[in-house]
Amino acid sequence: MKSKVLTMTLLASSTMIGYSTTTVAEEICYSVGGSLTTENITPTIQLGNMTLTLSYDTGEVFSETGSLVGNITGGDAAIGQSVLSHTARFSQGDSLVTEGDVAQITGILDVDENSVPCAFSIYEQITDIAKGTRFFKNVTSANVVALGTVSNCPNLNENSFNLQGELCVE
């Protein structure tokens, strides 16, 4: 009988210890800042670099420059809208993939020699971090705006954006 009581006591104690040390991941939201520059490689692929900074009350928690590949996956030319995905890779092994980013033309900045618009101001909304590694492994939500310009003019093949918003992770 003593043996059974001792066994039950040990089981109960180990269960309580295991329970008391189990933690629930807490969501933390970071302020996003940064910039990016890409070139148009094909009509649907952009390649370049991105500097990304994430801050919290205590200061910067992530600040790196990495490579960026953009891919236009859809859109509606009639309303000046594109849907994109992006893959960013950073030197320490962090990476993220966005999907369903919506870019909207908000103005025409330049035209080519035939008066066809070739440079535009853009407002882009990024809300879906589809997957990530290391710091971006457990993203729970994103609300990031990219404001910038896109140019495929003969004299300037460059896209440039500034980033701001919020990214939450567990």
Side-chain angles (χ1 to χ4, degrees), residues 56-105:
Y56 191 62
D57 295 341
T58 57
E60 287 183 3
V61 295
F62 182 91
S63 184
E64 284 195 42
T65 298
S67 65
L68 181 68
V69 177
N71 184 19
I72 298 174
T73 59
D76 186 344
I79 61 170
Q81 192 174 82
S82 295
V83 178
L84 301 96
S85 65
H86 291 91
T87 300
R89 298 184 190 279
F90 301 96
S91 62
Q92 300 299 313
D94 301 276
S95 66
L96 63 90
V97 176
T98 69
E99 290 183 353
D101 307 343
V102 178
Q104 179 67 52
I105 293 174

Side-chain angles (χ1 to χ4, degrees), residues 30-52:
Y30 300 98
S31 294
V32 174
S35 61
L36 64 94
T37 302
T38 62
E39 289 184 6
N40 302 303
I41 305 303
T42 71
T44 60
I45 301 291
Q46 308 85 43
L47 182 61
N49 294 305
M50 176 171 75
T51 299
L52 183 64

